[in-house]
Amino acid sequence: MGKGNQLKKESGLPFRLVIKIASVSFVIGLLLAMALFAEPTQNRNYDQSQKRTDLTLVSHNPQTSSSSKNLDHTKDLNLEFAFKESIRYFERKPKDSKFRFGGEEYTNEEVFRSLENLQMIIRDTPSHQIQNEIKKHFIFFVLSPSDGLPTITGYYEVRIYGKNKPEGEYQYPALSPPKSDLTISENPKLFLREKWSQKSIWEKYSKPIVFLRLTDLHLAQLEGSAVVETETKEKFRINYAADNGQNYISPSVYLEGICPSLKPYHLSNCIQSRPKEVTDAILKNPRYIFFEKESFPKKQLNENSFGPMGSDGIRLVSFRSVAMDKQIPLGLPILLSFQSNNETINDRLVFVHDRGNAITGAGRLDYYLGSGDGVEEMANNLLTKGKVILLLPKKQKTKNK
């Protein structure tokens, strides 16, 4: 297989980003055909010793595979919602805004039109012709760290129970961003978590939205949002609103050998037998997240049309949204492929809709897996290597006079 032109560029990015323009061969077409479908595809094993531009991890032809004959990607509502969120994001930005990536400058209008074009191609083009149409309009940038394949993890929306007033173990408030106080020299927004555990502090500078168990508050802050149901049967979402600027330290650092499982959603079991140790470990994390309350619309909508907020007002869509480093532009489409035992989550067309404190560098991607039963297990068990390909619009060639 031809490798095409290979580029290594710093491009002004703070991390060393390895960018390779992959040749748009028939193998890319196979990857695209798989990624665009909503239905599960067969798992594919690949040798991690392969070079990063080798996309032969896709081993079957979707034109002849029985698993793809009956697929209709126009009925994939998740994909439609994800496209809408990316398009709306660029619609909100000034048309003359620009960004640079991979040594090229792109206008907001260029990217906006390319997303509309990609959506139209997927809707209207037979699967066996999709590769030819997309290669006319897009360049494929293989993103990877200098030391190997990108690392892929998963995250999800937490569902928890809360109280309107502190009661029993529900003593920990999910707080709104603090009010500024010009009478003190220190900005309360920058207080460490330990300080926000003090009632005198949060009563003075903030307002509680709901009271939670400590382990549930930890989960909501770790994942960035949560659906909460209270004792009055009220159901609402708490979304990330601000943070204190500190880096996250996992409680697992302090709980090795104390809790049988160090996965975040298992800490609620461990805190029953070792309350002091688990409480101390959570409070040693200096990072603190503030929330805003969001009520659900009275008219019931599809879950993915009203998902949690990602970055810059983009709503997250299950199996179609990812969090990446802040130097990877928001809203752009990504071809994501990796080995997984769960057939519903790998080999997808996804979009950069979110950021994360720990999601830094070209070699990191966090995959949003939605909410509901079993999702937390899936997300916490997702730790793998894979292929991450950024789609950028091809520049129109200018004719020499």
Side-chain angles (χ1 to χ4, degrees), residues 32-48:
L32 277 168
M34 278 198 318
L36 298 176
F37 294 124
E39 306 283 340
T41 57
Q42 293 181 350
N43 291 327
R44 295 160 185 85
N45 297 324
Y46 65 94
D47 182 358
Q48 291 193 13

Side-chain angles (χ1 to χ4, degrees), residues 37-43 78 318-320 338 340-348 350 367-369 375 378:
F37 294 124
E39 306 283 340
T41 57
Q42 293 181 350
N43 291 327
N78 286 24
S318 304
F319 305 114
R320 294 296 181 182
F338 59 92
S340 169
N341 292 328
N342 190 306
E343 295 180 346
T344 64
I345 63 174
N346 50 1
D347 299 326
R348 310 285 271 182
V350 297
Y367 190 13
Y368 177 64
L369 303 179
V375 173
M378 188 193 310

Side-chain angles (χ1 to χ4, degrees), residues 177-193:
K179 298 172 290 185
S180 59
D181 190 338
L182 300 178
T183 64
I184 62 172
S185 58
E186 190 177 5
N187 183 353
K189 184 180 175 182
L190 303 180
F191 289 166
L192 301 185
R193 171 183 293 271

Side-chain angles (χ1 to χ4, degrees), residues 19-74:
I19 298 176
K20 294 187 173 70
I21 302 180
S23 62
V24 189
S25 65
F26 75 97
V27 176
I28 285 286
L30 303 185
L31 178 58
L32 277 168
M34 278 198 318
L36 298 176
F37 294 124
E39 306 283 340
T41 57
Q42 293 181 350
N43 291 327
R44 295 160 185 85
N45 297 324
Y46 65 94
D47 182 358
Q48 291 193 13
S49 66
Q50 290 175 313
K51 294 181 180 179
R52 289 193 290 274
T53 49
D54 182 5
L55 301 182
T56 55
L57 71 162
V58 182
S59 59
H60 83 293
N61 190 329
Q63 297 180 42
T64 59
S65 169
S66 60
S67 66
S68 64
K69 284 181 180 178
N70 298 321
L71 299 183
D72 182 1
H73 48 270
T74 62

Side-chain angles (χ1 to χ4, degrees), residues 45-223:
N45 297 324
Y46 65 94
D47 182 358
Q48 291 193 13
S49 66
Q50 290 175 313
K51 294 181 180 179
R52 289 193 290 274
T53 49
D54 182 5
L55 301 182
T56 55
L57 71 162
V58 182
S59 59
H60 83 293
N61 190 329
Q63 297 180 42
T64 59
S65 169
S66 60
S67 66
S68 64
K69 284 181 180 178
N70 298 321
L71 299 183
D72 182 1
H73 48 270
T74 62
K75 294 181 180 179
D76 181 0
L77 291 179
N78 286 24
L79 183 57
E80 286 296 305
F81 286 132
F83 263 115
K84 285 179 182 177
E85 287 302 312
S86 280
I87 289 172
R88 286 171 182 165
Y89 168 71
F90 286 104
E91 281 180 331
R92 292 193 298 267
K93 294 172 69 67
K95 289 188 177 182
D96 58 352
S97 60
K98 301 175 182 179
F99 66 86
R100 292 192 64 83
F101 191 86
E104 290 281 2
E105 184 175 80
Y106 298 89
T107 66
N108 184 76
E109 183 72 9
E110 278 181 301
V111 180
F112 170 74
R113 295 302 174 196
S114 74
L115 283 169
E116 288 190 323
N117 191 24
L118 179 60
Q119 186 179 37
M120 184 174 63
I121 290 171
I122 294 171
R123 283 176 176 171
D124 302 338
T125 308
S127 59
H128 66 281
Q129 296 177 6
I130 286 178
Q131 62 160 324
N132 292 325
E133 287 302 310
I134 292 183
K135 73 179 181 181
K136 294 176 184 177
H137 303 283
F138 290 89
I139 292 176
F140 300 83
F141 281 36
V142 178
L143 304 180
S144 48
S146 57
D147 57 351
L149 294 170
T151 298
I152 298 161
T153 53
Y155 69 116
Y156 65 106
E157 183 171 38
V158 179
R159 293 179 179 270
I160 53 181
Y161 186 76
K163 299 273 191 177
N164 290 313
K165 294 182 179 180
E167 178 185 331
E169 58 185 334
Y170 296 88
Q171 295 289 331
Y172 296 86
L175 295 174
S176 300
K179 298 172 290 185
S180 59
D181 190 338
L182 300 178
T183 64
I184 62 172
S185 58
E186 190 177 5
N187 183 353
K189 184 180 175 182
L190 303 180
F191 289 166
L192 301 185
R193 171 183 293 271
E194 188 178 46
K195 208 163 186 177
W196 284 115
S197 66
Q198 301 172 26
K199 185 178 180 181
S200 60
I201 295 295
W202 60 256
E203 278 189 329
K204 182 177 181 180
Y205 296 109
S206 183
K207 288 185 178 181
I209 299 171
V210 66
F211 291 88
L212 307 171
R213 299 185 303 174
L214 178 60
T215 51
D216 289 339
L217 176 62
H218 167 66
L219 261 181
Q221 292 182 321
L222 178 64
E223 302 298 338

